[in-house]
Amino acid sequence: KDYWDEIVRRFPLTEYFDTGLVSYEISARKPAAKGFKYLLKKLGAKPEETLFIDDRAGNLVEPAKLGIRTIQFTSLSTLKRTLREQGVLPHQAQRLN
């Protein structure tokens, strides 16, 4: 909890996120399914309409088992392309010459 309090003090997270989950609140850390189930219920979200991004492949296993779409982050350009392919980000308009 002390570590999280320091992060909140240093960074304006509420400007970027409406809600979240901190592992100490539910006594579970990723990649445990407990946290993903908690968030799905809290947000009223369906697994197939949810996307989880992480740089570690091992952290993607449990959410995928729950039906959550997953992406392994390897680079910003690859992430942007994958998000466009999945319809999360709009495709860039083509330039007219």
Side-chain angles (χ1 to χ4, degrees):
K1 182 179 182 323
D2 293 337
Y3 179 67
W4 180 249
D5 289 342
E6 178 64 15
I7 290 189
V8 171
R9 186 186 70 73
R10 292 178 61 195
F11 302 103
L13 298 175
T14 56
E15 290 180 26
Y16 303 102
F17 301 99
D18 295 327
T19 190
L21 172 66
V22 183
S23 58
Y24 79 86
E25 295 174 327
I26 63 164
S27 301
R29 295 176 63 181
K30 73 177 177 182
K34 182 177 180 179
F36 296 101
K37 290 177 182 178
Y38 176 88
L39 278 175
L40 290 171
K41 184 175 181 181
K42 180 178 180 177
L43 299 172
K46 297 176 184 175
E48 64 274 12
E49 297 174 350
T50 304
L51 176 62
F52 177 68
I53 303 166
D54 198 286
D55 62 336
R56 296 184 63 201
N59 288 340
L60 303 176
V61 175
E62 289 303 316
K65 286 181 185 177
L66 297 172
I68 295 172
R69 295 182 299 152
T70 61
I71 297 174
Q72 183 176 1
F73 178 85
T74 56
S75 71
L76 184 56
S77 60
T78 301
L79 177 62
K80 286 179 180 179
R81 185 183 72 242
T82 304
L83 291 173
R84 285 188 189 98
E85 289 169 355
Q86 293 194 15
V88 177
L89 288 178
H91 291 277
Q92 295 176 337
Q94 294 181 355
R95 289 185 173 172
L96 299 175
N97 292 331

